[in-house]
């Protein structure tokens, strides 16, 4: 449900496919914000000999909007290049890889980080090494050590990591896309069956992560660290994108396709729902090519979401109040398109202005929660989704309950959510490696040798 294969064309180009975006005040360094953009969905841990890697021909970006107009004020750009050390072997590695500079790793990858603000660019680092993928206990015997060595300090203030991680998103994809079935409640479905435990469709999958930890003052409109949650300058908007050059021509001498021309955006992501479930299939590819500041034309799909109409039909007599509600969904428009304005949730706002745009909004004045709740803001934890998004936030449950009407009373107190709304969930949790307590927070990727199809991944 997040953004794994969310549009027809980008599903054919996984190396440029955004899967998840996270933005949160770092719990162990609360004067910083951690920004994470994941790409390349559904990675099979044993997918050799050509293991997964970032695209040398893709421009990856994490964008910050802090001006109140949905436009990008700050971008961090990431460009990658891979090498082949031994051109006479098919092997990814010719022996154990004990360091990220080890000569036994036959296809190392490096990247450059550039910061762009208001059209002015500054290169922060060049030729930073990416760790290898987690091949197995012989090839990458101490994977945690390799990953730790790939956490780079850029300038004393910013920290960056790019490489493979365990997919931290969890959802019962198999049931949700089977006519919106939720296994714990499928006995009430239009096509009923016995209730069952949820199945994490991301179990055993890895992703490629770009993670950045920067001072809060690096991202705010005035370069300061706000302390007042109600300060309009305390909220930033975050989104990520992948772009390719405009045209591709097959080079017969090289035997490969070569890209030419200016970069054009082919994938983007802010909130973990928008294109996947809200935008109609015929418009998904176009949406991926647009900027968030141009999202006004998609507002009609937010204020009248298709899923809200399907739930009463697929679960007869379970959502009568939702079925009878005919007003535009102002609650979803606030959560997904403008941020939540002052006066809706007592003592909280993450409003970025009236321009309707799909941004993951984060109020940086909200400190990390001492006792985090994965249901985030709707459970009283203002440090969680939809105020930014932490790696462990249960966004599927939050969004299902919101679409089913749980958040309507925030803007329409006369509405009473159906009794079932507050119980909705897909019955899943993270079944991949445990999240880390420190940067880059996502867990150790599943190892190829250690993993078996159909069973929980082993790191």
């Amino acid at each position: 449900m997040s953004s794994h294969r969310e549009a027809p064309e980008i599903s054919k180009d996984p190396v440029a496919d955004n899967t998840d975006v996270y933005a949160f005040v770092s719990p162990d360094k609360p004067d910083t914000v951690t920004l994470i953009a994941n790409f390349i969905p559904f990675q099979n841990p044993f997918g050799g000999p050509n293991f997964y890697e970032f695209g040398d021909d893709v421009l990856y970006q994490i964008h910050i909007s802090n001006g109140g107009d949905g436009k990008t004020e700050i971008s961090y750009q990431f460009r990658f290049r891979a090498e082949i050390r031994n051109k006479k072997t098919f092997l990814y590695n010719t022996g154990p890889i004990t360091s990220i500079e080890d000569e036994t790793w036959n296809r190392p990858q490096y990247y450059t980080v550039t910061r762009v603000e208001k059209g002015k660019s500054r290169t922060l680092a060049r030729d930073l090494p990416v760790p290898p993928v987690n091949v197995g206990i012989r090839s990458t015997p101490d994977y945690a050590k390799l990953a730790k060595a790939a956490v780079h300090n850029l300038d004393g203030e910013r920290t960056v990591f790019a490489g493979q991680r365990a997919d931290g998103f969890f959802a019962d994809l198999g049931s949700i896309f089977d006519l919106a079935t939720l296994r714990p409640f499928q006995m009430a479905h239009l096509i009923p069956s016995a209730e069952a435990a949820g199945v994490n469709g991301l179990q055993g999958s890895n992703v490629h992560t770009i993670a950045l930890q920067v001072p809060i003052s690096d991202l705010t409109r005035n370069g300061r660290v706000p302390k007042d949650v109600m300060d309009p300058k305390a909220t930033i908007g975050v989104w990520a994108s992948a772009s390719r050059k405009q045209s591709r021509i097959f080079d017969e001498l090289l035997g490969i396709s070569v890209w030419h021309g200016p970069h054009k955006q082919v994938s983007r992501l802010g909130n973990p729902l928008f294109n996947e479930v809200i935008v109609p299939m015929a418009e998904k590819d176009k949406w991926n090519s647009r900027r968030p500041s141009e999202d006004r034309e998609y507002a009609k799909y937010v204020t009248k979401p298709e899923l809200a109409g399907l739930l009463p039909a697929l679960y007869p007599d379970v959502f009568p109040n939702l079925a009878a509600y005919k007003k535009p969904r102002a609650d979803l428009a606030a959560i997904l398109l403008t941020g939540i304005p002052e006066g809706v949730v007592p003592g909280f706002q993450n409003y970025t202005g009236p321009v309707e745009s799909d941004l993951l909004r984060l109020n940086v004045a909200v400190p990390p929660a001492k006792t985090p709740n994965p249901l985030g803001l709707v459970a009283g934890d203002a440090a969680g989704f939809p105020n930014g998004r932490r790696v462990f936030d249960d966004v599927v449950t939050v969004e299902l309950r919101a679409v089913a009407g749980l958040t309507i009373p925030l803007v329409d107190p006369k509405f009473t959510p159906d009794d079932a709304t507050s119980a909705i969930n897909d019955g899943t949790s993270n079944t991949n490696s445990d999240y880390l307590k420190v940067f880059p927070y996502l867990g150790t990727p599943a190892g190829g040798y250690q993993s078996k199809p159909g069973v929980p991944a082993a790191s």
Side-chain angles (χ1 to χ4, degrees):
M1 177 177 287
S2 188
S3 191
H4 297 60
R5 298 176 57 81
E6 87 289 348
E9 288 305 311
I10 200 60
S11 67
K12 305 169 190 175
D13 186 12
V15 75
D17 190 358
N18 291 263
T19 68
D20 289 283
V21 174
Y22 304 90
F24 52 93
V25 176
S26 312
D28 54 327
K29 293 184 178 180
D31 59 340
T32 69
V33 166
T34 295
L35 307 169
I36 298 175
N38 287 348
F39 298 87
I40 317 177
F42 297 115
Q43 291 184 24
N44 185 328
F46 30 85
N50 296 299
F51 289 98
Y52 301 92
E53 64 183 18
F54 291 105
D56 288 3
D57 50 3
V58 177
L59 170 62
Y60 300 95
Q61 297 186 81
I62 298 176
H63 307 269
I64 307 299
S65 176
N66 60 27
D69 56 4
K71 296 181 179 180
T72 295
E73 276 71 44
I74 301 168
S75 288
Y76 280 93
Q77 300 181 341
F78 304 83
R79 294 176 172 87
F80 294 82
R81 64 175 181 85
E83 297 179 356
I84 300 177
R85 287 189 166 124
N86 183 348
K87 296 183 180 181
K88 297 186 181 299
T89 180
F90 73 90
L91 294 170
Y92 182 77
N93 57 293
T94 56
I97 304 173
T98 57
S99 79
I100 56 175
E101 297 291 355
D102 204 319
E103 293 292 322
T104 58
W105 181 17
N106 196 39
R107 192 171 172 87
Q109 194 170 42
Y110 304 90
Y111 65 103
T112 297
V113 184
T114 303
R115 186 181 189 273
V116 181
E117 183 170 8
K118 297 178 180 178
K120 296 181 179 180
S121 62
R122 178 164 61 99
T123 299
L124 301 179
R126 297 181 185 274
D127 296 327
L128 296 176
V130 175
V133 301
N134 193 358
V135 179
I137 59 174
R138 296 166 184 81
S139 296
T140 48
D142 189 347
Y143 194 82
K145 176 184 175 182
L146 295 174
K148 186 175 181 180
V151 175
H152 305 288
N153 187 285
L154 295 179
D155 51 11
E157 293 185 326
R158 303 176 182 90
T159 303
V160 68
F161 170 87
Q164 191 180 55
R165 294 278 86 193
D167 197 334
F169 176 64
F170 51 92
D172 193 339
L173 300 176
S175 68
I176 290 172
F177 292 119
D178 187 17
L179 291 180
T181 308
L182 301 172
R183 291 184 215 256
F185 310 98
Q186 60 191 11
M187 65 289 189
H189 195 273
L190 183 66
I191 307 173
S193 57
E195 65 179 276
V199 177
N200 181 15
L202 286 305
Q203 182 170 290
S205 293
N206 296 328
V207 292
H208 265 57
T209 291
I210 296 173
L212 187 66
Q213 193 171 74
V214 300
I216 290 175
S217 58
D218 193 51
L219 305 177
T220 55
R221 189 186 315 177
N222 56 7
R224 297 178 181 177
V225 181
K227 300 299 182 183
D228 181 5
V229 174
M230 307 313 291
D231 181 353
K233 298 184 182 67
T235 299
I236 62 172
V238 179
W239 63 289
S241 69
S243 301
R244 288 192 175 279
K245 290 188 175 181
Q246 191 168 21
S247 62
R248 183 170 62 175
I249 301 174
F250 184 78
D251 189 313
E252 291 186 1
L253 293 177
L254 296 176
I256 60 173
S257 295
V258 180
W259 291 86
H260 300 270
H263 280 97
K264 297 294 182 180
Q265 182 178 296
V266 296
S267 178
R268 60 136 160 162
L269 181 63
N271 282 292
L273 170 68
F274 211 100
N275 200 17
E276 185 87 8
V277 177
I278 290 179
V279 179
M281 185 177 294
E283 298 187 44
K284 287 180 179 294
D285 294 319
K286 179 182 176 182
W287 184 92
N288 260 338
S289 70
R290 306 290 291 271
R291 305 290 181 180
S293 57
E294 302 170 331
D295 281 343
R296 181 179 180 181
E297 66 180 273
Y298 302 101
K300 58 189 175 184
Y301 303 124
V302 175
T303 57
K304 191 177 180 181
E306 182 181 6
L307 184 58
L310 287 173
L311 285 174
L314 292 173
Y315 290 86
D317 303 321
V318 176
F319 299 103
N321 295 351
L322 178 65
Y325 195 75
K326 303 302 180 184
K327 297 180 182 179
R329 292 295 299 274
D331 57 319
L332 298 180
I335 292 170
L336 298 175
L337 290 174
T338 65
I340 300 172
E342 182 178 350
V344 174
V345 177
F348 174 80
Q349 63 85 26
N350 65 353
Y351 185 66
T352 55
V355 177
E356 296 170 314
S357 49
D358 174 38
L359 299 169
L360 188 60
R361 292 167 173 85
L362 174 66
N363 188 316
V364 297
V366 178
K370 294 181 180 179
T371 306
N373 189 313
L375 296 181
L377 186 62
V378 297
D381 180 0
F385 182 77
N387 184 37
R389 180 186 175 190
R390 300 165 299 194
V391 295
F392 55 80
D393 281 341
D394 187 354
V395 295
V396 171
T397 295
V398 173
E399 291 176 336
L400 283 174
R401 292 181 183 181
V403 170
L406 185 66
T407 52
I408 293 177
L410 294 175
V411 297
D412 188 351
K414 294 182 180 180
F415 179 79
T416 301
D418 295 292
D419 291 340
T421 304
S422 59
I424 291 176
N425 66 82
D426 72 339
T428 64
S429 60
N430 178 39
T431 51
N432 289 332
S433 300
D434 291 339
Y435 304 114
L436 304 181
K437 296 185 182 299
V438 297
F439 184 86
Y441 301 101
L442 291 171
T444 302
Y449 173 82
Q450 300 95 309
S451 300
K452 296 180 181 179
V455 300
S459 61

